[in-house]
Amino acid sequence: MTTTLENMIDEVLINLAGYTFQQDRATHLTSAVTTTTSTSASPLILSLGSTESVGKGIIEIEEELLWVDSYDRIANTATVSPYGRGYLGSTAATHAADKKVTISPTFPRYSVKRAINDTVSSLGASIFAVKSTSFTFNAATSTYAFTNLNIKNIITISWESIGPSKEWVPIRRYDFDSTADSTAFGANAQTVTLGEYPIPGRTVRVVYATDPVAFTTNAQDYSTQTGLPESTKDVVILGAAYRLLTFLDPARSSQVSPQADETDSKRPFGSSQSATKQLYALYQQRLQEETKAQQQNYPPRVHFSRR
């Protein structure tokens, strides 16, 4: 089964629902939102299935956050303020009829997406993504340039032998330059200089380590986009969950009314920290397991330099 960013957002939200002991209130659009603006002269009026739970404040449609200025419980409409589209850094977008409208979401999908990408980017310090590139060997050229690959380290270099065996012969003598001269090879270029020479015209394959790449669209496949093995998916899920759960307590710290204090007594300030510590411990444990597994899959290989 293909794991996409959309799947991972849903999984993070399902996991966090078990810790928050609450379900977000929701309704749906009864007519499409065809504009991305809401001006004071012509405000956006949302037609909703129900306004029973709607109040002045934040709502979420797909991944956009909107600020509702007023509502009409008779007409089941909500008016968005002039500053309400793409609220809190989310992206204003059009929305089709029947889309879900979440009222005051505990964990907005926009924030979950950002937490997932932050976790993917941070994994580069412990786990590297494994990718490969290739070039055709030319007897007159010993140094080959790679552009915008962000190579951290070369794992193996090999060339395709001639004949039916389809053997890939390892090259153990090479030099890797991570900061190649930009005048000779271009901006952001890295080079490898071969100390062994394959048969001219044969394909040379370079397997290298690089930083994981964050998602840019919700439909991207996890392994294909990040370069990480599928087994690390739960590491990212746990990392995103603990990042989000950390901020539940600040949301309750400003509750000063008697009614709010009574509600908060069931979940006192600081109560989420135990769950956060548990998730962080699980995250660290899985991260160490995946780091060890990667070290076993890609053990250090000896190669010889000409220097």
Side-chain angles (χ1 to χ4, degrees), residues 249 252 263-272:
D249 281 332
R252 292 202 297 270
T263 301
D264 256 6
S265 65
K266 300 176 182 177
R267 289 189 298 164
F269 183 79
S271 60
S272 74

Side-chain angles (χ1 to χ4, degrees), residues 2 24 37 43 49 55 63 68-69 93 102 107 119 136 145-147 163 174 178 182 188 194 212 225 251 258 273 292:
T2 300
D24 291 331
T37 61
E63 290 184 10
V68 171
D69 221 13
T102 305
F107 302 104
T119 304
T136 301
F146 312 111
T147 304
Y174 61 86
S178 61
S182 59
N188 302 318
L194 301 183
Q225 175 62 19
Q273 294 306 307
K292 184 177 180 180

Side-chain angles (χ1 to χ4, degrees), residues 112-303:
V112 176
K113 181 177 181 178
R114 185 167 54 187
I116 289 173
N117 274 338
D118 287 346
T119 304
V120 169
S121 298
S122 69
L123 289 181
S126 302
I127 304 175
F128 53 81
V130 179
K131 297 185 178 182
S132 65
T133 186
S134 61
F135 58 87
T136 301
F137 180 71
N138 183 340
T141 305
S142 60
T143 300
Y144 297 84
F146 312 111
T147 304
N148 297 322
L149 293 185
N150 191 29
I151 298 174
K152 298 299 181 183
N153 187 32
I154 290 181
I155 299 174
T156 61
I157 300 180
S158 56
W159 63 278
E160 186 179 17
S161 65
I162 294 177
S165 67
K166 300 185 182 299
E167 179 187 4
W168 286 86
V169 182
I171 296 177
R172 294 188 175 89
R173 294 183 180 273
Y174 61 86
D175 288 316
F176 172 61
D177 187 354
S178 61
T179 56
D181 182 73
S182 59
T183 303
F185 299 102
N188 302 318
Q190 298 171 302
T191 63
V192 62
T193 301
L194 301 183
E196 298 176 15
Y197 304 108
I199 297 175
R202 304 308 295 170
T203 298
V204 178
R205 182 176 62 191
V206 179
V207 179
Y208 62 92
T210 185
D211 289 331
V213 180
F215 291 98
T216 55
T217 67
N218 288 5
Q220 288 172 330
D221 175 69
Y222 173 73
S223 294
T224 302
Q225 175 62 19
T226 65
L228 296 170
E230 186 73 18
S231 61
T232 61
K233 183 197 72 172
D234 67 316
V235 180
V236 177
I237 297 295
L238 290 169
Y242 96 76
R243 290 171 187 268
L244 293 164
L245 200 61
T246 302
F247 297 103
L248 276 186
D249 281 332
R252 292 202 297 270
S253 63
S254 61
Q255 304 292 347
V256 294
S257 68
Q259 294 85 353
D261 288 343
E262 174 62 25
T263 301
D264 256 6
S265 65
K266 300 176 182 177
R267 289 189 298 164
F269 183 79
S271 60
S272 74
Q273 294 306 307
S274 60
T276 303
K277 291 177 181 178
Q278 178 187 6
L279 279 175
Y280 184 72
L282 289 172
Y283 166 72
Q284 288 293 329
Q285 177 183 341
R286 285 291 297 120
L287 181 59
Q288 291 173 8
E289 291 171 351
E290 288 298 326
T291 301
K292 184 177 180 180
Q294 189 174 72
Q295 291 171 347
Q296 293 174 342
N297 291 334
Y298 300 99
R301 296 176 184 269
V302 176
H303 82 276

